[in-house]
């Protein structure tokens, strides 16, 4: 039985992906569910794949899975990970600002 916060996905898989802007490589993971447990596994995968001397900057949406106590604890134990959590509603603002900037830069 599903909890109220779970979504019936009809076979759809969750994709977690990290893009290395320096060399264009992608670290990805597919999971049947999109919970903090799966996100933590993905963070661990990134931690293992990225050389120890480098910081990791992640951009996440404000989905609750990315902001649980367990995830915050994990991030606190891994200080090279930098994850700003946008306030609720800011994703739309960023989207709008990006589109406005792109439209303004192309000119008439």
């Amino acid at each position: 039985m599903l909890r109220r916060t779970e979504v019936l996905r009809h076979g759809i898989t969750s994709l977690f992906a990290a893009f290395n802007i320096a060399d264009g490589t992608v670290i990805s993971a597919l999971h049947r569910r999109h919970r903090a447990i799966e996100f933590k596994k993905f963070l661990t995968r990134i931690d293992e794949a990225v050389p120890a001397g480098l910081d990791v900057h992640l951009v996440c949406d404000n989905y609750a899975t990315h902001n649980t106590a367990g995830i915050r604890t994990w991030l606190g134990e891994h200080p090279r990970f930098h994850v700003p959590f946008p306030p609720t509603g800011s994703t739309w603002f960023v989207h709008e600002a990006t589109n406005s900037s792109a439209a303004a830069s192309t000119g008439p």
Side-chain angles (χ1 to χ4, degrees), residues 67-108:
N67 201 9
T68 65
I71 295 299
R72 286 196 174 269
T73 298
W74 190 94
L75 292 170
E77 294 168 352
H78 298 81
R80 74 185 188 128
F81 279 75
H82 306 278
V83 186
F85 289 98
T88 302
S90 69
T91 304
W92 178 251
F93 173 77
V94 170
H95 173 74
E96 287 299 307
T98 302
N99 286 341
S100 296
S101 297
S105 67
T106 58

Side-chain angles (χ1 to χ4, degrees), residues 17-103:
F19 178 65
N20 182 336
I21 61 171
D23 65 11
T25 58
V26 175
I27 301 168
S28 63
L30 296 173
H31 292 280
R32 288 184 169 270
R33 300 180 77 180
H34 193 102
R35 302 173 299 173
I37 293 167
E38 288 82 16
F39 186 57
K40 186 175 174 182
K41 287 178 184 177
F42 181 60
L43 291 175
T44 301
R45 184 170 181 173
I46 294 170
D47 194 36
E48 293 168 352
V50 174
L54 299 176
D55 280 0
V56 177
H57 295 265
L58 299 176
V59 178
C60 298
D61 59 13
N62 56 11
Y63 190 62
T65 296
H66 306 144
N67 201 9
T68 65
I71 295 299
R72 286 196 174 269
T73 298
W74 190 94
L75 292 170
E77 294 168 352
H78 298 81
R80 74 185 188 128
F81 279 75
H82 306 278
V83 186
F85 289 98
T88 302
S90 69
T91 304
W92 178 251
F93 173 77
V94 170
H95 173 74
E96 287 299 307
T98 302
N99 286 341
S100 296
S101 297

